[in-house]
Amino acid sequence: MTKLLFALMTAAALAACSNMPGAPGGPTRTAGQAVDDATIGTKLKAAIAADPELSALKINVDTTQGNVRLRGEVKSLSLRQKVEAMARKIEGVKSVDNNLVVTG
């Protein structure tokens, strides 16, 4: 019984590891890419926070492999476009998926 339990636990652990970066068939994100993504996110969040027309609390920024996803709320279409333009100006950004909702 203990051998079966051990075998099942080992199989579950190996299955979980298959989704780790660098694992065969798993994501291929390197440590450098993770740092680059964090830098992009930090720069964009700082730019949003510095803009008096925007609320950093209402805009979510996710970055994966240079691809930026924007979610949240802005007051106008021009502000939605402004945030997207801010993201595109940051070095290392490959694409911007703008899912910001205009509420005003």
Side-chain angles (χ1 to χ4, degrees):
M1 181 70 172
T2 17
K3 288 183 180 180
L4 178 61
L5 182 61
F6 179 74
L8 289 173
M9 290 174 53
T10 303
L14 290 173
C17 290
S18 68
N19 287 329
M20 293 178 66
T28 56
R29 189 172 175 202
T30 66
Q33 287 171 328
V35 170
D36 291 344
D37 289 340
T39 301
I40 290 169
T42 300
K43 286 181 180 180
L44 182 53
K45 288 175 187 177
I48 292 169
D51 191 309
E53 294 181 305
L54 300 170
S55 171
L57 298 176
K58 292 187 176 185
I59 300 174
N60 185 322
V61 178
D62 294 317
T63 308
T64 305
Q65 296 180 341
N67 302 308
V68 176
R69 184 173 56 171
L70 303 170
R71 291 180 293 147
E73 301 175 357
V74 290
K75 293 181 181 179
S76 69
L77 181 59
S78 63
L79 290 176
R80 183 180 191 270
Q81 295 167 338
K82 181 179 188 175
V83 175
E84 182 174 338
M86 291 165 77
R88 291 188 186 281
K89 289 180 185 177
I90 296 173
E91 183 179 345
V93 171
K94 295 177 183 174
S95 69
V96 178
D97 183 16
N98 189 345
N99 294 314
L100 293 172
V101 176
V102 177
T103 59

